Amino acid sequence: MADEITYGDFEKVDIRVGTIVEAEPFPEARKPAYKLKIDFGPEIGVKKSSAQITVHYTLDQLIGRQVLGVVNFPPRQIGPVRSEVLTLGFEDENGAIVLASVTRGVPNGRKMM
C-alpha cells in the first residue's frame, strides 16, 4: 500500500489537462522517448515535456490527444530538453507507459478535481 497523504498534500499537486500540439523523436534520450509540446490553455500556455511512450504511440497518434500533466513541478533537464511538465501515465503489464487521459474533451488547462 502507498504512503498515506492528507487531502492538503494532494491539493498541492496541480494536475491539468492539455492537448499535445507537437510531438517529435528524442534520439538523445537514454531510453526511447518523444519530445512533446502540450497546450495547457491561456493561463499556463504551451509547455515542453519528454515522455517514454514510444511503445504504444506513434508521433501521428499523439497530435491532438488530450493528456494529464503535473504543471507545478520545477523544470527538469533531460539531456538537451528542459522538461517543464510531468506527463502522466501508467505502466502496462510489460512496463510500457500508457498515457493518462480524459474520456471526453474538456477545455485545456482545467484542473483535476
Side-chain angles (χ1 to χ4, degrees), residues 21-104:
V21 294
E22 284 184 39
E24 58 186 56
F26 187 9
E28 305 90 352
R30 280 186 276 160
K31 294 182 180 179
Y34 294 138
K35 294 185 278 188
L36 307 175
K37 287 188 180 175
I38 306 169
D39 181 359
F40 286 99
E43 181 184 339
I44 297 169
V46 175
K47 298 291 183 183
K48 293 182 278 185
S49 182
S50 166
Q52 296 174 356
I53 54 174
T54 59
V55 172
H56 293 298
Y57 306 96
T58 65
L59 294 170
D60 291 341
Q61 291 172 324
L62 293 170
I63 304 299
R65 181 183 203 96
Q66 283 197 303
V67 295
L68 301 177
V70 177
V71 299
N72 65 334
F73 282 148
R76 187 171 169 203
Q77 195 70 37
I78 302 173
V81 173
R82 185 174 168 95
S83 187
E84 302 170 307
V85 173
L86 174 63
T87 305
L88 298 177
F90 300 91
E91 286 187 338
D92 69 9
E93 62 278 356
N94 298 312
I97 302 300
V98 176
L99 288 168
S101 61
V102 293
T103 57
R104 293 189 116 140

